[in-house]
Amino acid sequence: MINNELSVSNELNSAKDAKALVIFAHGAGADMHHPYIEELVGLMNAQQLSVLRFNFPFMDKRKLDGKRRPPDRMPALVECYQAILAKANSTLPIYIAGKSMGGRVAATLAGDSVLMKSNLVRGVICLGYPFHPVKKPEKLRLAPLQDTQLPVLILQGERDALGSESEIKQYEISSRCQLHYFNDGDHDLKPRVKSGYTLKQHQTTAVHKMRSFIDEINNSC
């Protein structure tokens, strides 16, 4: 699936009768095999979505020596994602996606219309978009969502500390962006017990939203 010259870890989980290939990037704190991502991949496969996931270089280095490193700078993250995208070999419609930081990198790529067209990318999916750092609401990261050349699905917890529903409603982002909020969800979509919802319910709903988003775009092409 990926050229062996690419040095970062990657793994393809193919779905039966797949409708699309979702390239999925992890966030700043957990790698591609974290149980949270494993759960999402299983749910996506069940929805006929093949998933290609990978580690950014800093995460592979962490796994080698056990030292907790900060994420690479955005240019390096973008370069890595571009390399994964360039080496992907699929006849399926391609969607780029990610959790938190990974979603921000995917959305950043979507500002390059030439890159997106050359790789036949049809849309972007962001799970818990980091609109700003924790407790730093003034440091907004809206540019990728303002410059996107593709439809973007943002799956966001209502009380996400990196961008809550009440905050996001005040932002100016592209009309190409679709937002779905999860009741009482945090940055991982996890609700509190008192809400009456569970993380598994929200993850399942999130993947159904992904599939609907993909179907809508695929059917219009």
Side-chain angles (χ1 to χ4, degrees):
M1 185 70 191
I2 292 293
N3 190 305
N4 290 331
E5 294 176 1
L6 198 60
S7 59
V8 296
S9 299
N10 57 85
E11 182 176 318
L12 174 66
N13 297 95
S14 298
K16 184 178 181 181
D17 299 323
K19 302 297 183 184
L21 172 66
V22 178
I23 302 178
F24 195 90
H26 62 76
D31 72 5
M32 68 176 184
H33 285 129
H34 188 275
Y36 186 95
I37 294 180
E38 293 279 11
E39 179 70 24
L40 286 174
V41 170
L43 291 169
M44 284 191 268
N45 283 171
Q47 286 296 312
Q48 297 177 282
L49 302 176
S50 291
V51 183
L52 173 60
R53 48 183 156 157
F54 65 95
N55 280 342
F56 288 110
F58 78 94
M59 192 59 76
D60 269 350
K61 291 176 184 175
R62 277 190 196 180
K63 292 178 72 66
L64 282 175
D65 59 21
K67 294 181 180 179
R68 189 169 179 83
R69 291 177 169 79
D72 300 311
R73 298 281 186 177
M74 186 55 65
L77 297 174
V78 167
E79 182 180 7
C80 175
Y81 209 132
Q82 284 178 325
I84 289 285
L85 181 58
K87 300 300 183 182
N89 178 23
S90 178
T91 58
L92 294 168
I94 294 176
Y95 292 80
I96 53 177
K99 171 75 174 72
S100 191
M101 180 193 75
R104 181 186 173 198
V105 178
T108 299
L109 288 179
D112 187 335
S113 59
V114 175
L115 177 68
M116 295 296 94
K117 288 179 181 177
S118 64
N119 289 280
L120 304 179
V121 180
R122 293 188 180 180
V124 183
I125 301 168
C126 301
L127 187 68
Y129 187 86
F131 284 87
H132 58 72
V134 176
K135 296 182 180 179
K136 295 182 179 179
E138 73 283 359
K139 293 190 175 182
L140 293 175
R141 299 159 171 164
L142 301 182
L145 305 181
Q146 294 170 334
D147 300 336
T148 181
Q149 302 299 303
L150 293 174
V152 180
L153 174 65
I154 302 171
L155 303 161
Q156 199 83 359
E158 284 181 342
R159 56 186 181 87
D160 192 328
L162 283 73
S164 65
E165 180 178 6
S166 59
E167 291 175 320
I168 295 168
K169 287 181 176 178
Q170 301 175 49
Y171 301 153
E172 291 185 7
I173 59 178
S174 172
S175 60
R176 294 174 182 264
C177 297
Q178 301 178 28
L179 277 142
H180 180 82
Y181 297 102
F182 289 80
N183 289 299
D184 200 55
D186 64 8
H187 190 55
D188 294 331
L189 308 185
K190 185 178 180 180
R192 292 167 292 194
V193 174
K194 67 180 182 181
S195 72
Y197 293 92
T198 66
L199 175 59
K200 180 62 178 290
Q201 285 176 322
H202 281 352
Q203 287 178 310
T204 301
T205 299
V207 173
H208 279 282
K209 292 291 180 183
M210 292 180 194
R211 173 63 193 269
S212 295
F213 173 74
I214 288 169
D215 283 346
E216 183 179 350
I217 295 171
N218 286 351
N219 292 337
S220 66
C221 292

